[in-house]
Amino acid sequence: MKSLAVQNLQVVVVSDPVSERGHLFERFIANLLAQQYGFEDPRTRNLNVTSDGIELDVVARHRLTGSTAIAECKAYTRNVKAGELTNFYGKLSIERFDEPDAFGLMCVLPRLTPNGHEKARAIEMKDKNFRYLSADDLGDALRQAGLVADVPTALVDRSDEAIVIADAGVFGACLVLDSQSRTPTQVAVWATQGAVPAPAMQLLAASEYAGGIDVVDVGASSVQPPDPTKLRQDSVLLASVVGSSSDFEYQLPASPKYFVGRSKLLADLQKVLTNETGNVVVLNAQSGWGKSSLALKFKDLAERQKGVALVLDTRTADSPRYLVEVLRRLATKAEAEGILRLSANPSWASLDSAIATLRAATWLDNKRPLIAFFDQFENVFRNVELTRAFRDLALSSREIAGPLVIGFAWKTDLVGWTEGHPYQLRDDIRGVGPVLIVEPFGPDEVTVLLRRLEKQAGEQLLPDLRSRLRAYSQGLPWLLKKLADHVLKELHHGSTQEQLLAESLNVVGLFEADLAELNPQQHEVVRHVARFAPPRRR
């Protein structure tokens, strides 16, 4: 078998409408308590469906002894923190003040984080009335009970095995991989007996698990196992952030060659590279204050340590598949550079399997970092599903032993509306590692650029002109570069510094030239923004 053994089994709940997923999962857990543990008359204390998944609290009584059982079930997209185990066991202990034999079942899908998983197993060894079920445990129980069949032997190259819970029943599923690219070609699904009902197939095809690829019932006698050579994948565009080719090319972020100052921030980023502050970093600032330039300099720092780094413009990200392709490109390049060695059976079928592939990799040099940096990230916040996938990557990256760093940069002046959509996911990302605030240029950094301007102009700037450039730019890197570029062009065209000062640098002409390049519709948009935009905060 070539399945990636280190992966966790997934539990996929599909329903129509989607809002009924919680109640479907509730009925499934009630049946599990009755059939596997002998408890009956389950009553729901709490059912909550969030952007993370499903949370369910149930209380029941054993049909023979009459003892109480309390069950807490969490079906999330990510591993659950160990603190949730502590909270549940505290509730169970309180219940035992009145009923010493109360049974506690904690069902966590996919599983607790590694330290929580170990603690739960330790509790099981000492407490016969406590049981912890991960997704793998749940799958074993369902197979032993004959409720789910084993994976068909014809499916050799596979990944992301799952239990599918639908109104029509419980089914097995997995993603079938292309043997060369190790990416998914089809979703295979099967029933214990007979064919998988068409409604269940349709719901599975529309789920995040399927990701838009074909779903095939491999248990039906009339259907052959899927052919893994027939690839069907949506193209994923990974757009790298490109730096400037000169000091005053203001349309692009500064490339490392033209980077200026930021010594404190660079020291903080170096600590991230040496894993002193964790493996996730966030850059926050307002528009045009230099986040992208700093991200490119971060990439340069990593490459100076012979690492591999990608700085990507996330405006092309439109689905969780984007993240898988980022990790695949990063890992493939790192393997070619001799930083790591992938296992013989990697999987790039999903974010879960990509993380598992990196966990299973052999890291050959822990001093050579891998960086995946996501710039322009404020655009991702529009999509809850996509934001959750990035959040899951940030949290899961802590379980990878190698020097992997995940970076984010977003504009703080454009994400105020995300306080309600989806602020919790955003704060989860910011809570994993250091958040570095990028400020406007200080006096020293402005001085460096003005000296470079003098060098390119071939003459010393008049004190008044220097002061005017400082005042007009307000420390904004892009604006200072735009004004410097404008001054250079004016001087090369024969204007004198005195003339520029007399005309207030001819800034009006500068922006009129910009406006002249716009069509009438773009003019109207600019006027609308100018009329209704809130005043700029300082």
Side-chain angles (χ1 to χ4, degrees):
M1 293 295 181
K2 295 183 181 179
S3 61
L4 193 61
V6 296
Q7 288 180 249
N8 296 316
L9 182 75
Q10 299 183 48
V11 175
V12 180
V13 184
V14 295
S15 65
D16 185 19
V18 175
S19 58
E20 289 299 309
R21 288 191 310 124
H23 295 294
L24 182 58
F25 185 66
E26 180 183 12
R27 294 198 299 272
F28 172 77
I29 293 299
N31 291 333
L32 179 70
L33 285 170
Q35 295 182 24
Q36 294 296 112
Y37 299 103
F39 288 91
E40 58 186 3
D41 190 26
R43 299 186 306 279
T44 298
R45 285 179 171 174
N46 177 58
L47 174 62
N48 189 26
V49 180
T50 69
S51 61
D52 279 334
I54 304 169
E55 299 172 343
L56 175 66
D57 295 336
V58 175
V59 61
R61 288 200 171 273
H62 197 279
R63 65 170 62 98
L64 295 180
T65 66
S67 61
T68 298
I70 61 172
E72 186 168 288
C73 306
K74 297 181 184 296
Y76 282 1
T77 61
R78 56 180 171 84
N79 289 344
V80 177
K81 297 177 181 178
E84 296 294 338
L85 169 66
T86 305
N87 293 340
F88 173 71
Y89 202 71
K91 295 177 188 176
L92 179 60
S93 299
I94 293 173
E95 195 78 28
R96 286 173 174 172
F97 289 154
D98 296 323
E99 293 194 50
D101 294 330
F103 181 85
L105 172 66
M106 187 171 193
C107 181
V108 178
L109 313 175
R111 58 176 287 170
L112 290 165
T113 53
N115 59 334
H117 189 84
E118 292 178 6
K119 289 179 181 178
R121 295 306 183 207
I123 294 173
E124 282 184 324
M125 294 178 65
K126 297 179 179 180
D127 186 346
K128 62 182 179 63
N129 285 334
F130 169 81
R131 184 70 187 275
Y132 158 60
L133 289 182
S134 66
D136 291 332
D137 299 324
L138 181 61
D140 290 341
L142 293 174
R143 282 189 285 267
Q144 290 173 8
L147 300 176
V148 175
D150 289 332
V151 181
T153 57
L155 300 177
V156 178
D157 280 314
R158 66 178 190 273
S159 178
D160 293 72
E161 293 180 23
I163 301 296
V164 180
I165 301 172
D167 277 318
V170 180
F171 312 99
C174 69
L175 301 182
V176 180
L177 301 178
D178 172 66
S179 59
Q180 299 299 317
S181 68
R182 311 300 295 173
T183 55
T185 62
Q186 289 177 312
V187 179
V189 62
W190 58 91
T192 304
Q193 293 182 340
V196 179
M201 294 272 289
Q202 294 167 358
L203 289 171
L204 182 59
S207 69
E208 292 180 26
Y209 175 77
I213 58 178
D214 292 335
V215 177
V216 178
D217 182 357
V218 295
S221 58
S222 59
V223 178
Q224 296 297 317
D227 182 359
T229 64
K230 294 181 180 178
L231 281 170
R232 181 194 170 192
Q233 290 198 50
D234 298 326
S235 60
V236 175
L237 176 60
L238 302 184
S240 296
V241 175
V242 178
S244 63
S245 58
S246 67
D247 279 309
F248 306 119
E249 187 178 3
Y250 59 88
Q251 300 93 337
L252 296 173
S255 58
K257 180 179 179 180
Y258 305 105
F259 189 82
V260 173
R262 311 293 198 188
S263 57
K264 174 61 169 62
L265 289 172
L266 292 180
D268 291 336
L269 290 174
Q270 189 61 53
K271 291 179 180 178
V272 174
L273 286 181
T274 55
N275 205 27
E276 293 181 30
T277 55
N279 59 343
V280 173
V281 63
V282 174
L283 301 182
N284 277 173
Q286 294 192 29
S287 305
W289 286 14
K291 299 179 302 301
S292 300
S293 300
L294 195 58
L296 290 176
K297 185 62 178 178
F298 189 34
K299 175 178 182 286
D300 179 61
L301 292 176
E303 291 174 344
R304 288 173 183 267
Q305 295 179 210
K306 299 184 178 180
V308 171
L310 299 175
V311 179
L312 300 166
D313 186 332
T314 52
R315 284 176 289 190
T316 64
D318 59 1
S319 74
R321 184 73 210 165
Y322 176 91
L323 282 171
V324 181
E325 290 302 316
V326 170
L327 294 179
R328 182 165 77 121
R329 178 181 292 188
L330 193 65
T332 302
K333 190 172 181 180
E335 186 172 42
E337 296 286 336
I339 298 175
L340 58 76
R341 183 171 60 249
L342 296 174
S343 65
N345 55 346
S347 172
W348 307 108
S350 68
L351 179 57
D352 286 341
S353 61
I355 292 292
T357 293
L358 289 173
R359 281 204 306 263
T362 301
W363 295 81
L364 305 176
D365 191 341
N366 281 322
K367 294 183 179 179
R368 299 172 64 185
L370 271 65
I371 296 177
F373 199 101
F374 302 105
D375 195 21
Q376 305 290 340
F377 197 72
E378 63 276 358
N379 298 277
V380 174
F381 290 130
R382 298 186 178 95
N383 185 323
V384 176
E385 174 192 344
L386 188 56
T387 306
R388 187 174 65 243
F390 277 96
R391 188 281 312 273
D392 291 347
L393 170 62
L395 296 178
S396 300
S397 65
R398 296 177 297 179
E399 300 176 10
I400 297 172
L404 174 67
V405 178
I406 307 298
F408 301 88
W410 64 77
K411 300 180 178 79
T412 54
D413 53 336
L414 296 182
V415 296
W417 47 270
T418 63
E419 288 300 330
H421 175 68
Y423 72 93
Q424 184 60 58
L425 299 174
R426 179 204 62 193
D427 290 347
D428 284 347
I429 293 173
R430 289 203 296 204
V432 179
V435 178
L436 307 183
I437 306 301
V438 184
E439 299 287 351
F441 274 168
D444 292 343
E445 291 155 327
V446 173
T447 297
V448 170
L449 278 179
L450 291 180
R451 286 174 179 168
R452 293 182 182 180
L453 172 58
E454 289 178 329
K455 184 177 181 180
Q456 291 193 32
E459 58 184 282
Q460 189 172 358
L461 296 178
L462 295 174
D464 285 349
L465 184 56
R466 293 172 66 90
S467 297
R468 199 73 61 87
L469 288 170
R470 286 181 184 274
Y472 285 179
S473 68
Q474 305 175 72
L476 302 181
W478 74 270
L479 185 52
L480 178 57
K481 293 175 184 179
K482 183 179 180 71
L483 292 172
D485 180 70
H486 171 63
V487 168
L488 276 176
K489 289 178 179 177
E490 291 290 312
L491 293 176
H492 289 161
H493 289 149
S495 298
T496 65
Q497 294 187 46
E498 290 81 2
Q499 288 174 325
L500 288 174
L501 284 169
E503 299 172 358
S504 297
L505 305 188
N506 192 19
V507 171
V508 173
L510 169 64
F511 287 98
E512 284 180 348
D514 287 342
L515 292 173
E517 298 178 4
L518 303 179
N519 60 39
Q521 184 178 7
Q522 291 169 331
H523 267 283
E524 183 60 32
V525 171
V526 171
R527 283 194 292 269
H528 178 85
V529 171
R531 189 180 305 120
F532 295 105
R536 180 175 175 271
R537 299 191 303 271
R538 288 292 295 169

